[in-house]
Amino acid sequence: MAFSRISHKGRGEVRIYESTHDLSTNLAEYIAEISEASVKERGVFCVALSGGSLISMMSKLRDTPYSRTVDWARWHIFWTDERLVSKSHSDSNYKLAKDVLFSKIPVYPSYIHSINVTVSAEEAANRYEYAIRQLVRKGTVGASRISDCPKFDLILLGMGPDGHVASLFPLHRALNEKNEWVTFLTDSPDPPSQRITFTLPSG
Ligand SMILES: O=C(O)[C@H](O)[C@@H](O)[C@H](O)[C@H](O)COP(=O)(O)O
């Protein structure tokens, strides 16, 4: 499968695939490899998802060999960002991942760490950060060695046409948040306006 690889002096690499088919095939393989390595090293795999087309690109994980070989019972699923809409709304990142993936694979319901969307955006962000802090304390989610930030085994992010990742939009005040791990927006440039999002790492 042809792809171009661009390395960045030990800071990771960019892989460019010729088709979405090639990209999704390689994405499934990549996720399965990281899941296996994380389970071997830490006993769990903590993955944070966003929204957009990325989630449907993960659909190959439902098929063989992954349906049989991935240790789904060790997966903890998080969201980098969520829109404050009901969990059955078409804008919900939770619904997107549920429909495409975790309604079809045997993950533990209690390991699906979704956002409470029945409270204000600020409260939802506070509660999500609190939940993650508990899981860092228990050692389920790893912690950075240079700061107290959580260190997920894998964070999967799409990028919007304006360059936004998660719900971190260019020039938005959420980009300057240095203390909170999770913050909220009530004025997202893209609808829906109310969202919560992971912040940028401080360390
Ligand atoms: O909440 C959002 O603003 C979007 O879901 C965002 O997080 C998404 O990842 C990008 O917009 C890329 O989306 P596409 O992959 O569909 O282009």
Side-chain angles (χ1 to χ4, degrees), residues 93-198:
N93 285 343
Y94 167 87
K95 176 175 162 46
L96 180 64
K98 180 180 173 217
D99 291 351
V100 173
L101 203 59
F102 62 77
S103 59
K104 326 253 189 238
I105 52 174
V107 287
Y108 278 128
S110 60
Y111 290 180
I112 297 171
H113 305 282
S114 62
I115 288 99
N116 184 337
V117 287
T118 63
V119 295
S120 70
E122 182 172 12
E123 181 66 17
N126 288 341
R127 288 189 191 193
Y128 205 49
E129 179 167 327
Y130 180 79
I132 295 170
R133 282 191 186 275
Q134 301 311 305
L135 290 165
V136 169
R137 198 162 298 151
K138 277 167 58 182
T140 306
V141 175
S144 160
R145 263 181 268 158
I146 50 171
S147 68
D148 74 333
C149 283
K151 191 173 168 205
F152 292 87
D153 298 308
L154 182 61
I155 296 182
L156 291 163
L157 293 165
M159 183 180 282
D162 57 0
H164 80 266
V165 290
S167 286
L168 293 168
F169 291 85
L171 305 178
H172 195 278
R173 62 129 196 111
L175 287 170
N176 302 323
E177 178 55 59
K178 298 278 182 270
N179 299 317
E180 314 288 352
W181 295 352
V182 182
T183 192
F184 67 101
L185 293 74
T186 53
D187 58 353
S188 164
D190 280 355
S193 56
Q194 307 226 20
R195 295 165 175 239
I196 70 130
T197 182
F198 282 4

Side-chain angles (χ1 to χ4, degrees), residues 9-10 31-32 38-39 43 49 57 60 63 69 106 113 153 163-164 194:
K9 297 177 189 157
I31 295 169
S38 302
V39 169
L49 309 175
M57 300 260 182
K60 287 201 163 56
D63 305 334
T69 56
H113 305 282
D153 298 308
H164 80 266
Q194 307 226 20

